[in-house]
Amino acid sequence: MINKLVFFGCSITAGNELYEEAHVPNYNKMSLMEARKASSHLDEKDILAYQNKHSFPFLTASKLGVNFENCAISGISNIEIASRAITHFPNSYYENVMAVVQITTHNRLFVKYKESNDKKIAGSFIVHPQVDNDKLTKRQNNILKENFLEFYEESLQIYTDQTFLFFAMQNLIKKNIPTFLIYGSKDMAFWPEWGGGEGPEKIKFHNDKDPQFMYKLFNCYADMWNSYDILKCSLDSLVPANSHLPRYHYNHVAHDIIANNLAEAIKCSTG
């Protein structure tokens, strides 16, 4: 019997923009930059408290009558999501706990960006051609973008991200924690399309020593994905087309729809 759900993910699962939708006049009609500016003047404690009580992790747990923890953090990478899921459960065995891991976009890197007094600071950063990260200097922003766009790009970074995520989920399962994944859109992963023949067409990379190596690897990932995918579809496919707020997060209605579907899926998974 599951009596606690623990959620990991990025701002999608954290419930970003829900507070703004409820408290900022005409927020839904704002542009991206207007919404960013409006959010910058709000109290972070009020925002986090509201998100915790209105995002789909809370709603899902309420519908199931169980406890919950929402460990999602805005802006973090898949590598950090996976790492935090592992460290959240330090013991070797757990009972009556289920974990839900939300996969984020693949334009995020976990890097060292500061060093002082023998201390090195690392963090997750979103790589966007037109947007700089406030924690980084202009030079660091340029280096991060140039390196990512030149050597990684999202369709290759998915290789590293999935390795970390699947390792984390297997680690939790070995500790008797049923663990499942969810994802916002098809852009975050194309494994569900694999069986229909569309997946292999998206493999643009070929290993220089073995051209078929990456296809074989991704084929293994597709099988693993299907075993962890609790909803069997993206979150975007569940909600109305107008469910996204100015900064691309889900509105209140969408969170409730996601919670209804997730609660039903969890009931089915637990018999």
Side-chain angles (χ1 to χ4, degrees):
M1 176 70 70
I2 299 298
N3 58 30
K4 185 177 183 180
L5 298 174
V6 184
F7 292 81
F8 301 92
C10 67
S11 53
I12 290 175
T13 298
N16 278 34
E17 293 192 271
L18 289 175
Y19 181 89
E20 289 90 326
E21 184 188 19
H23 295 87
V24 177
N26 300 315
Y27 183 79
N28 290 22
K29 299 179 180 179
M30 290 183 179
S31 67
L32 171 62
M33 297 310 296
E34 289 172 339
R36 286 169 64 93
K37 184 177 181 180
S39 299
S40 66
H41 301 298
L42 302 175
D43 185 274
E44 186 176 2
K45 289 184 179 180
D46 290 341
I47 292 174
L48 294 176
Y50 187 88
Q51 288 177 181
N52 197 49
K53 294 295 185 181
H54 294 83
S55 55
F56 70 79
F58 170 81
L59 299 174
T60 302
S62 297
K63 294 175 190 296
L64 294 172
V66 301
N67 297 318
F68 87 107
E69 281 186 79
N70 189 349
C71 301
I73 301 176
S74 300
I76 64 174
S77 62
N78 283 309
I79 289 177
E80 189 167 357
I81 290 171
S83 301
R84 288 180 178 275
I86 293 171
T87 58
H88 189 80
F89 298 103
N91 299 332
S92 59
Y93 186 83
Y94 291 82
E95 291 184 342
N96 308 321
V97 179
M98 176 182 287
V100 178
V101 180
Q102 174 248 314
I103 292 177
T104 190
T105 55
H106 300 284
N107 62 330
R108 305 176 184 219
L109 297 177
F110 186 70
V111 298
K112 184 214 80 174
Y113 68 98
K114 190 185 297 185
E115 187 171 352
S116 62
N117 299 324
D118 297 325
K119 182 182 292 185
K120 297 182 179 180
I121 308 298
S124 293
F125 294 93
I126 301 173
V127 182
H128 191 289
Q130 280 79 47
V131 180
D132 284 349
N133 290 283
D134 295 337
K135 291 183 180 179
L136 303 180
T137 65
K138 184 65 177 178
R139 176 176 174 273
Q140 286 177 318
N141 271 292
N142 290 337
I143 292 173
L144 187 68
K145 293 176 187 179
E146 289 172 6
N147 274 278
F148 183 79
L149 297 173
E150 178 69 23
F151 295 108
Y152 292 96
E153 76 174 55
E154 290 184 63
S155 52
L156 183 59
Q157 182 63 23
I158 193 173
Y159 159 77
T160 302
D161 286 354
Q162 297 296 162
T163 302
F164 269 84
L165 288 161
F166 288 150
F167 174 81
M169 287 187 275
Q170 289 175 345
N171 180 273
L172 268 55
I173 289 170
K174 286 182 178 179
K175 297 181 177 185
N176 196 47
I177 303 170
T179 305
F180 297 98
L181 62 83
I182 57 176
Y183 60 105
S185 70
K186 290 183 178 180
D187 293 335
M188 295 180 182
F190 51 77
W191 314 121
E193 302 173 347
W194 198 271
E198 297 179 36
E201 295 179 4
K202 295 192 177 184
I203 300 295
K204 305 299 183 183
F205 289 97
H206 297 276
N207 182 257
D208 56 2
K209 295 180 175 62
D210 175 5
Q212 293 300 311
F213 162 70
M214 300 190 76
Y215 173 81
K216 294 174 184 176
L217 176 65
F218 288 178
N219 197 44
C220 292
Y221 282 167
D223 291 339
M224 296 175 70
W225 180 282
N226 290 328
S227 66
Y228 293 132
D229 183 5
I230 190 167
L231 291 172
K232 306 303 180 186
C233 65
S234 68
L235 301 184
D236 275 359
S237 68
L238 296 174
V239 302
N242 62 347
S243 298
H244 290 280
L245 294 165
R247 287 158 45 215
Y248 311 121
H249 302 99
Y250 295 118
N251 60 22
H252 285 78
V253 172
H255 275 267
D256 192 53
I257 293 172
I258 292 168
N260 284 331
N261 283 270
L262 194 51
E264 287 302 314
I266 290 172
K267 286 180 184 178
C268 293
S269 73
T270 55

